[in-house]
Amino acid sequence: MESAEDSAVVLLPTYQPGGHLPELADGIRAARAGTAVVVVDDGSDPAAAPMLTAVAGLGCTVLRHPVNRGKGAALKTGFRHIAAAYPGRDVVCADADGQHSVADVLRVADRTRDAGRAVLGVRRFAHMPLRSRIGNTATRLLFRAATGRRVGDTQTGLRGFPGELLGWLGSVPGEGFDYEMNVLLYASRRGLPFDEITIATTYLDDNASSHFDPVGDAARIYWRLLRFAVSSRAPARVR
């Protein structure tokens, strides 16, 4: 049986968290005793203090940005902390807004450990809100055109990474939601493999709690994809 010292660290970036944050953290620690959970608060206002206090009371590490810097910045803060505090441990990143189940977080952790490579939790498109489905379809097609690789869900927030990749993850550019696309693009350029597993996703109020800007954030993601396609010298090869 895997010990707590060897298990993946769960990283939860959050901004203006609600009650789903302590619920998820508590569920993870209850399902797999001793699992380390690191929460990075990306500059939430004082109203978030009770939720952050609650997760700290559960034994989670809580790191805080004094101002909102973006999801990519929050992830990289978490990666740096985990690399220093839990050297060599795998990391599973999950959204803290109720989208991801405890079971799927642990499934991604287990696959990352067993495969020794990055793992993406792929959502079922039929269950996505329309705006998410359209955006993800567009980015999947552009990603394939730019890299020659098929990815089932380019915008998933549930991802597992082997511990050896943390230093590299900190070097990938991007501070906002574009960072997660950059990770896939730079991984493709380096030839890094990744697995995919299908996950269930719960959308509350048509994903109203999401802080993704469908105009500004989407534009930055498409710009990254186009720049990558133009700068890539190797011809795309469809797999």
Side-chain angles (χ1 to χ4, degrees), residues 24-92:
L24 177 60
D26 187 41
I28 290 168
R29 290 176 63 81
R32 189 160 292 176
T35 298
V37 177
V38 175
V39 175
V40 181
D41 172 58
D42 189 32
S44 298
D45 61 34
M51 299 305 167
L52 299 172
T53 299
V55 292
L58 293 170
C60 305
T61 298
V62 178
L63 310 174
R64 302 196 69 174
H65 289 168
V67 297
N68 181 248
R69 294 171 52 194
K71 187 178 183 181
L75 287 169
K76 286 191 271 190
T77 292
F79 292 144
R80 286 193 296 270
H81 173 82
I82 292 167
Y86 307 96
R89 299 267 288 274
D90 296 343
V91 178
V92 175

Side-chain angles (χ1 to χ4, degrees), residues 79 116-118 160-171 190 192-193:
F79 292 144
R117 63 181 67 182
F161 298 104
E164 64 192 36
L165 291 182
L166 294 190
W168 172 76
L169 286 164
S171 72
R190 285 189 52 171
L192 294 177

Side-chain angles (χ1 to χ4, degrees), residues 143-149 185 188-191 227-239:
F143 184 86
R144 186 183 178 194
T147 67
R149 297 182 69 172
L185 291 171
S188 296
R189 177 169 285 171
R190 285 189 52 171
R227 283 186 59 187
F228 185 91
V230 170
S231 65
S232 178
R233 297 181 180 180
R237 180 168 62 88
V238 176
R239 296 183 180 180

Side-chain angles (χ1 to χ4, degrees), residues 125 133-143 154-155 222 225:
F125 272 44
R133 188 161 64 248
I134 292 173
N136 212 323
T137 298
T139 55
R140 283 190 304 122
L141 293 173
L142 286 171
F143 184 86
T154 58
Q155 297 177 354
Y222 294 138
L225 280 163

Side-chain angles (χ1 to χ4, degrees), residues 108-132:
V108 169
D110 292 341
R111 176 67 72 85
T112 303
R113 177 201 60 211
D114 295 341
R117 63 181 67 182
V119 175
L120 305 178
V122 177
R123 298 167 292 180
R124 298 181 178 91
F125 272 44
H127 298 163
M128 285 185 184
L130 180 60
R131 65 172 185 172
S132 298

